[in-house]
Amino acid sequence: MSVDQIVQLIQSAIQFGTMGEILTEKSGNLNLGVPGIMYLGGIAGLAASFFYEFNNPDPSGFVCLVISLLAAFAASALGGLLYSFLTITL
């Protein structure tokens, strides 16, 4: 799988995920969990990037990017797990 195919796959996943969420909300199901989970990921990525750059005298841009992506993914995954537990089981 080439890099172009991976980029196209990611772009398609974002477009179809967004379209599915819009159609779900238009049909009357108000889903407040998705924006909250996205906010969690964004805030965690920003905080991780800030703390890495603040505590490192010579920060690397690539390392900062990787740390912020991992923090955003971890926070979104944990938020999604918590949200799914609360909405499905309880």
Side-chain angles (χ1 to χ4, degrees):
M1 188 175 260
S2 70
V3 175
D4 291 335
Q5 290 175 330
I6 293 172
V7 170
Q8 288 176 350
L9 178 68
I10 292 171
Q11 288 175 343
S12 297
I14 291 171
Q15 289 173 350
F16 286 120
T18 305
M19 193 179 318
E21 180 64 25
I22 289 171
L23 288 175
T24 301
E25 288 184 3
K26 289 279 186 186
S27 69
N29 295 329
L30 183 60
N31 188 357
L32 298 176
V34 174
I37 292 169
M38 289 190 300
Y39 287 138
L40 272 174
I43 290 170
L46 178 67
S49 175
F50 173 76
F51 286 123
Y52 170 72
E53 289 181 2
F54 185 72
N55 293 323
N56 194 348
D58 188 26
S60 169
F62 179 73
V63 173
C64 184
L65 176 69
V66 170
I67 288 173
S68 63
L69 284 174
L70 289 175
F73 177 76
S76 296
L78 290 174
L81 284 172
L82 177 65
Y83 182 71
S84 65
F85 172 74
L86 292 174
T87 55
I88 294 171
T89 15
L90 301 177

